[in-house]
Each structure stands twice: as structure tokens, then as C-alpha cells.
Amino acid sequence: MTDHSTPGQLIAELLDQRGWTQRTLAVVLEKDESTINKIVAGKGTVTTETALALEDVFGVAAERFLELQRQYDLAVARISTKPDRARATRAALFGDLPIAEMLKRGWIKSDTPQDTKSIEKELVRFFGAANASEIEVRPHAAKKTLVNSEPRPC
């Protein structure tokens, strides 16, 4: 067997080896012929159930069909999904800053904690930065239990 980019390519090769048509496979699998046509054309998805049925028919591990499907889906997603360059900045800000505590204390304001745009705007204002990517996240302590003691690093 050669390298395949989609599960449909593997199925097409297996059909050729047996001298079967897509219609024959549809009958054997008790599936609609259009479902098989779509999978072979790369427009349909191999489900776990279909992968197990193909394993029974062709003796190829279901995991092979599913891995090809996963790789194909990921390749299509990489092509069709626009990268979000601000995602890493949001991860640093929302993961490393005590946003809930800052909202609770009124240091930043937002109608809802899920409104990332308004919170980013507020963080830029609070830190006096030109934009969110310029905010430097440093170790911090949002609470101090002993008010009269000297602060110490964690």
C-alpha cells in the first residue's frame, strides 16, 4: 500500500485491489452509496463506526482510517482557519493575571468576564500600555494576610 492523504484514497486502493466498485462496498457495508462516494472523494467523513466496518471488510486497522481522517481534517482546518495572533497574548493575560480579583476590586471594569475585548482594553488602561501585547506579566500576590508584616517574595 502506498502513502495516502485521505481515508478515501486508501479505500479507493483497497477497492481496486479487490476489483470492487464503490457500489459493491456500499452494499457490503449496508450504507448509502452516496456516503461511500463522498468518503472516497474526500468530501465525507469516516466515523468510528465506519472505520470498524472497513476493518472487518478489508482487514486494515480501524485506527489507520481514523488517523488518515484526523490528519486530513487538521490539514483542511490549517488551510481554512485564520491564525489568531492575539491568542497567545490573551493566554498570558487571562492565565497569569488575577482577572476575577481585579474585577472584584474594581481595578478594571467589564459587564462580563467572558468579554475578552473589553477586559483587554481595561488591562491596557490599568497598566498604561499602548496595547495588550505590551503588558508585562510579573509575579504578584493578589492577597496579603498579614497587613503589618514586610512583603516577601513567594
Side-chain angles (χ1 to χ4, degrees), residues 46-115:
V46 173
T47 64
T48 52
E49 293 80 12
T50 302
L52 289 170
L54 291 167
E55 179 180 68
D56 289 343
V57 171
F58 294 118
V60 175
E63 291 83 0
R64 176 78 175 121
F65 294 104
L66 293 173
E67 180 60 20
L68 285 169
Q69 186 66 56
R70 185 194 63 77
Q71 289 173 356
Y72 178 72
D73 290 345
L74 187 57
V76 169
R78 285 187 198 278
I79 292 167
S80 62
T81 303
K82 277 177 87 175
D84 183 354
R85 306 251 182 251
R87 190 174 289 137
T89 300
R90 282 194 309 275
L93 295 177
F94 287 82
D96 296 338
L97 290 175
I99 302 295
E101 192 66 27
M102 293 174 84
L103 286 165
K104 181 176 150 189
R105 292 178 183 216
W107 296 346
I108 61 174
K109 298 189 183 337
S110 178
D111 293 334
T112 173
Q114 286 75 28
D115 185 359

Side-chain angles (χ1 to χ4, degrees), residues 1-13 17 64 68 71:
M1 274 191 257
T2 59
D3 287 337
H4 305 94
S5 299
T6 68
Q9 291 174 348
L10 175 56
I11 293 167
E13 183 179 318
Q17 288 174 0
R64 176 78 175 121
L68 285 169
Q71 289 173 356

